[in-house]
Amino acid sequence: MRSLLGVLIMGLIVLSAKSYCNAEDSIIVSGQIINIGSKGSRTVTINECDPSDISERRVVSLDSTAIFCEKIPFSYPHTFTVNYSRKFINMYAEPGDSVFITIDASRKPLEFHISGDKARFNEQYSHAYQDLSPLVYDIKLAPDTVPYPEYIAIFKQEYYHISEKLDKYVSENSIDSDVKALLRTQTLFDMANAALEYQLDGSKEDRIAFITDELFDLYNPDNTKVMIFPYHISPLVELMPEFVSALPKGTLRDVMYVKMAENLEIPPVRSDFNNPGYYDRVFGIKEPDKINLSQIPTSKFLLYTGESVTEIENGNLLEWIKNTYKGKPVYLDVSATWCGPCRASIKGSQSLRRYFKNSDVVFVILWLKSDLEAWKKLAPTIDNAVQIFVSNDDICNLVMSALGVQRFPTYMFIDREGSFDKNGDVLHFMSPGLTDYLKSKM
């Protein structure tokens, strides 16, 4: 049972959040972590998914009472996550909402309680999602090489099988109908995420057929309530942009429209958007990105340069990279051992790194949120790259926040003066133009 002091603190935060929150474009996410051990994590990460790639990944340090309170940009109603100690808690909010979460760090798995706006909905949704998400991990899809009709047939069979288990869970636990609807949508697009390689590697016809299958009900505005939905309409926007212009103005059309942002030569007018918040966030005037190296506390990290693993004692990771390789151009790859695209890109770019072996270009791979044993096996197989492994989860969070890392892999460039380029223009490891790009920086 929570202490009376904790309840009073929660009430004060929720009440103050109401006056702090701009109902048009943000939410308040606050909470308290209780029973933190001496080595427990002192940061919380809040993730939401803007309809563009400009999403919010806010890393928050807990205060002395283990409380946090953050105002998060939020243009439209959808799910978001609070990540503590590598455990994700999924919730749903609309612009103007205030949500409070209490997490018991002493329990495995973590126990949590949600209050504030949509408390009943979020209590049901978040706990049900925790219970049901393993179902998606166990699905068995067809190999990416099979013909589309066979692939989608197996995909549907797996979805219907999971749906039966979901319906049983909903009935046994008296889940409300609106929560059930969101769980079904979340499950469907989580499954689509498992089929991402098929969507990326298939022919144009198969990719379009997959994402426009009637199963996904792609033009249903309710789909936008799932935070990963924008990722799945990306292939359609890329392959068939004419679909977007045919949709009526509104949440779904606006979400799809801003996914076209990077391919538009001339930005649309603000009045083209039903919610101008989309336009302002994607096309509005923004302050230049600045990296605050001083916000990263000193810590230990592991270094591998091709011979052996050494431990750097109490170094500021980003300052260390900047100072150690000052005077040389640095291509920085931020990856994770569990990330398939990361490992594939590193393996596929071996010849490129060998090409630059005798130049002054330095390739640095920064491993975050990763498994140490997996890295020890992987590191010796990678040629011509300085590798840095960070084990402290709080440091990983703060580094990702400072660098603006939203996903793995992320690529950045550090010039000879030690300035970080994080404007999104740095070519990825497998880009055909990367060789010329790096030559231009030498």
Side-chain angles (χ1 to χ4, degrees):
M1 180 179 294
R2 286 171 293 165
S3 67
L4 178 59
L5 176 61
V7 173
L8 289 174
I9 291 173
M10 178 195 75
L12 288 173
I13 289 179
V14 171
L15 286 174
S16 63
K18 289 291 187 181
S19 60
Y20 178 47
C21 191
N22 179 343
E24 294 182 354
D25 62 3
S26 60
I27 61 173
I28 295 295
V29 183
S30 53
Q32 184 176 31
I33 315 300
I34 63 174
N35 299 324
I36 301 178
S38 59
K39 296 183 179 181
S41 176
R42 302 291 303 184
T43 60
V44 171
T45 304
I46 304 167
N47 293 286
E48 61 85 31
C49 186
D50 193 87
S52 74
D53 288 334
I54 308 172
S55 56
E56 185 74 14
R57 186 184 185 280
R58 186 75 59 84
V59 176
V60 187
S61 295
L62 303 177
D63 67 12
S64 59
T65 59
I67 286 176
F68 66 94
C69 182
E70 287 291 307
K71 181 178 180 180
I72 303 295
F74 219 74
S75 299
Y76 70 109
H78 62 283
T79 57
F80 69 100
T81 67
V82 171
N83 179 358
Y84 177 74
S85 192
R86 301 200 186 186
K87 301 297 182 183
F88 289 90
I89 300 169
N90 292 262
M91 290 174 277
Y92 173 81
E94 299 179 3
D97 282 351
S98 297
V99 179
F100 189 96
I101 181 168
T102 304
I103 300 174
D104 188 343
S106 68
R107 307 301 294 266
K108 302 295 180 184
L110 297 175
E111 286 190 1
F112 58 91
H113 175 73
I114 301 169
S115 54
D117 293 312
K118 299 179 179 58
R120 176 183 170 87
F121 184 102
N122 277 320
E123 276 284 301
Q124 290 190 4
Y125 168 64
S126 58
H127 286 96
Y129 187 77
Q130 291 269 9
D131 293 341
L132 294 169
S133 57
L135 295 177
V136 176
Y137 303 145
D138 293 335
I139 63 172
K140 295 179 175 59
L141 298 179
D144 296 341
T145 54
V146 306
Y148 171 73
E150 180 182 347
Y151 190 91
I152 193 65
I154 294 174
F155 185 95
K156 289 181 177 180
Q157 180 179 341
E158 289 288 293
Y159 173 67
Y160 297 142
H161 180 63
I162 289 180
S163 294
E164 290 177 357
K165 293 185 177 180
L166 188 152
D167 290 344
K168 181 180 179 182
Y169 178 95
V170 164
S171 176
E172 292 175 346
N173 292 276
S174 302
I175 303 296
D176 294 345
S177 59
D178 52 350
V179 177
K180 174 184 175 180
L182 186 61
L183 287 169
R184 289 184 72 96
T185 304
Q186 181 76 54
T187 298
L188 178 60
F189 284 99
D190 281 350
M191 282 190 61
N193 206 42
L196 191 58
E197 287 189 17
Y198 188 83
Q199 297 177 60
L200 294 175
D201 298 334
S203 68
K204 177 179 178 178
E205 293 75 17
D206 286 352
R207 292 167 68 191
I208 292 174
F210 181 88
I211 201 62
T212 57
D213 189 275
E214 61 182 3
L215 177 68
F216 296 106
D217 194 13
L218 195 65
Y219 301 113
N220 182 349
D222 284 343
N223 287 340
T224 62
K225 293 179 180 179
V226 174
M227 69 180 291
I228 65 170
F229 175 73
Y231 294 117
H232 296 294
I233 52 115
S234 296
L236 183 66
V237 170
E238 175 190 347
L239 298 170
M240 302 187 71
E242 64 273 14
F243 278 19
V244 181
S245 58
L247 291 172
K249 186 188 299 186
T251 299
L252 179 58
R253 178 224 180 251
D254 287 352
V255 168
M256 297 183 76
Y257 203 162
V258 297
K259 291 301 295 182
M260 300 171 62
E262 63 183 25
N263 295 321
L264 294 176
E265 295 182 4
I266 302 175
V269 296
R270 196 168 185 264
S271 59
D272 280 346
F273 289 81
N274 189 56
N275 178 352
Y278 301 131
Y279 179 92
D280 293 340
R281 196 158 178 199
V282 180
F283 300 103
I285 298 174
K286 305 176 183 67
E287 292 293 326
D289 287 332
K290 295 181 181 178
I291 295 179
N292 182 6
L293 301 183
S294 64
Q295 76 179 68
I296 310 299
T298 58
S299 65
K300 296 179 181 179
F301 56 89
L302 300 179
L303 175 70
Y304 181 79
T305 57
E307 296 180 358
S308 60
V309 176
T310 57
E311 186 174 79
I312 303 298
E313 293 277 354
N314 297 325
N316 179 314
L317 173 61
L318 299 184
E319 288 280 8
W320 186 90
I321 296 174
K322 173 183 173 180
N323 295 331
T324 301
Y325 300 108
K326 191 170 184 178
K328 295 185 177 183
V330 176
Y331 184 78
L332 178 63
D333 169 14
V334 186
S335 284
T337 54
W338 47 262
C339 166
C342 300
R343 298 176 68 150
S345 295
I346 291 170
K347 181 179 180 180
S349 59
Q350 293 274 47
S351 61
L352 178 138
R353 293 195 304 278
R354 290 168 185 156
Y355 177 85
F356 285 96
K357 190 166 187 176
N358 296 320
S359 73
D360 60 354
V361 175
V362 179
F363 294 94
V364 176
I365 303 175
L366 178 56
W367 297 100
L368 303 177
K369 302 281 187 179
S370 296
D371 177 74
L372 179 59
E373 295 306 314
W375 176 65
K376 286 181 178 179
K377 294 178 182 178
L378 180 63
T381 68
I382 300 172
D383 289 340
N384 192 31
V386 175
Q387 298 182 62
I388 298 172
F389 183 94
V390 182
S391 59
N392 186 294
D393 202 50
D394 287 341
I395 299 298
C396 289
N397 287 337
L398 293 170
V399 168
M400 292 176 69
S401 178
L403 296 180
V405 173
Q406 304 288 345
R407 62 188 62 82
F408 297 116
T410 289
Y411 302 100
M412 305 182 69
F413 186 81
I414 309 172
D415 65 22
R416 295 179 185 276
E417 285 68 47
S419 296
F420 287 74
D421 180 357
K422 51 173 279 188
N423 61 14
D425 295 333
V426 179
L427 297 177
H428 60 79
F429 246 150
M430 299 298 285
S431 172
L434 181 57
T435 300
D436 290 338
Y437 174 85
L438 292 175
K439 285 182 177 179
S440 72
K441 302 293 185 179
M442 292 173 62

